Amino acid sequence: MAFPERFSNLPDYAFPRLRKLLDAHAPGGETISMTIGEPRHPMPDFVAPILAANIDGFAVYPANDGTPELLDAIAGWIKRRFGVELGSDQLMALNGTREGLYNACIALSPESKNGKKPVVLMPNPFYQVYAVAALTVGAEPCYVPATAATGFLPDYAALPAAVLDRVTVAYICSPANPQGAVASRSYWTQLLALAEKHDFVIFADECYSEIWRSAPPVGVLDVAQSVGADPERVFSFHSLSKRSNLPGLRSGFVAGGRKGIAEMRKLRSFAGAPLPLPLQKVSEACWRDDAHVAASLALYQEKFAAADAIFSGLQGFECPEGGFFLWLPVHDGEEAALKLWRETGVRVLPGAYLSREANGENPGKAYLRVALVAPKEEMQRGLIQLRDCLYG
């Protein structure tokens, strides 16, 4: 049986690759996992009662685009957080951001651009669904380095005009996974202008926007409104996985222009999987409540301070401005991850597993991604062992 050639060059996903690298070797101590970005802070205490009270909702088909109450709660949060007012026809509930980031590309990226094969831009390193979405629609993925030289955000404007004129979609993550860089108001403004000049759409992956170090990250919807951008130029994706410590709920949303949302809704009515009604009720309550978010943020800010203290004086160390990963410089990420595992039992992810080689270089090769999701004391033990093993 033949398989689709468009996916034939996909590497193994990051975590199967990590298991191949580490699992043939015994850990050098008590295992401390700092690999996956799965929040471990307490979920809101109102989740279980709401789920129990609405359990009968599993007996009916759910609203495809989100219930009116859920969309109203999402719109209310966007207004509180970003000062932007959106109608329900500018929103769609999602099964987490990954589903939305993938299907939005299918819904909005045309088969050709200016008579040529389309291009989909993405930072490098990046969330791997961006590349699979591009391949699914027959576009050329363009991996744009997001390195220290560019402030760990991609410099799309530096690409040749001939490439930019073929772009249909540009993915951007802020705060960035894995580096934690935050796009400024100026960065968003310039990207919106570039999208207008070369006629492409921005998919802003902002699922880490509620985890920040010193100031709430600027949102692209806020900037788009302030500069008078075409609402169809940008679509913002958010999730309750990180904001509310509910990765298993698989609940998020996309917000943007009415025409684009209508196209996404049409596709979803044929091929999507709407969020079950009890989960929509939980999601509604989460978007209406900010107190649990503030409590979780305080825990992350304690962790940022602990990481600062542990790595104080380490050349090349930068605590993130947002998100919950450290992006630590090493000579070789795979070698460092294996050494750390064999000598201490601390498990981290080589940065190369989140990147692709482009122009002969992999921008993640000399880094480790370290998740700050464990309880503070466990996280501190892991970071101290990492420091002493790799930088001592």
Side-chain angles (χ1 to χ4, degrees), residues 185-207:
R185 185 170 293 273
S186 173
Y187 184 94
W188 284 127
T189 300
Q190 292 172 20
L191 183 57
L192 285 161
L194 192 71
E196 183 66 30
K197 179 179 180 180
H198 294 279
D199 189 25
F200 61 81
V201 174
I202 299 165
F203 287 171
D205 182 353
E206 299 184 279
C207 70

Side-chain angles (χ1 to χ4, degrees), residues 22 30 53 62 91 188 224 226 269 288 297 337 364:
L22 302 185
E30 174 192 359
L91 302 167
W188 284 127
S226 67
S269 67
R288 292 195 191 282
L297 174 61

Side-chain angles (χ1 to χ4, degrees), residues 1 47 122 225 289 333:
M1 175 180 172
V47 169
M122 61 201 71
Q225 176 179 265
D289 182 76

Side-chain angles (χ1 to χ4, degrees), residues 84-151:
V84 176
E85 293 192 28
L86 298 178
S88 62
D89 56 351
Q90 293 177 271
L91 302 167
M92 186 175 76
L94 300 172
N95 275 290
T97 50
R98 180 162 62 174
E99 177 245 335
L101 290 161
Y102 178 76
N103 285 317
C105 193
I106 298 174
L108 300 189
S109 182
E111 291 80 0
S112 65
K113 175 85 178 288
N114 295 325
K116 298 178 181 179
K117 185 173 183 176
V119 168
V120 171
L121 303 180
M122 61 201 71
N124 194 20
F126 61 100
Y127 189 30
Q128 300 296 297
V129 72
Y130 307 161
V132 176
L135 295 173
T136 300
V137 300
E140 175 187 335
C142 182
Y143 307 109
V144 181
T147 64
T150 63

Side-chain angles (χ1 to χ4, degrees), residues 4 21 38 50-51 80 96 102 105 110 123 128 148 200 209 215 218 225 229 255 298-299 302 310-311 318 334 342 346:
L21 175 69
E38 182 178 68
I50 292 174
L51 191 60
R80 293 194 309 277
Y102 178 76
C105 193
Q128 300 296 297
F200 61 81
S209 70
V218 175
Q225 176 179 265
L299 295 177
E302 288 182 11
I310 291 167
F311 292 107
E318 292 184 33
E334 280 194 321
R342 294 177 67 177
V346 175

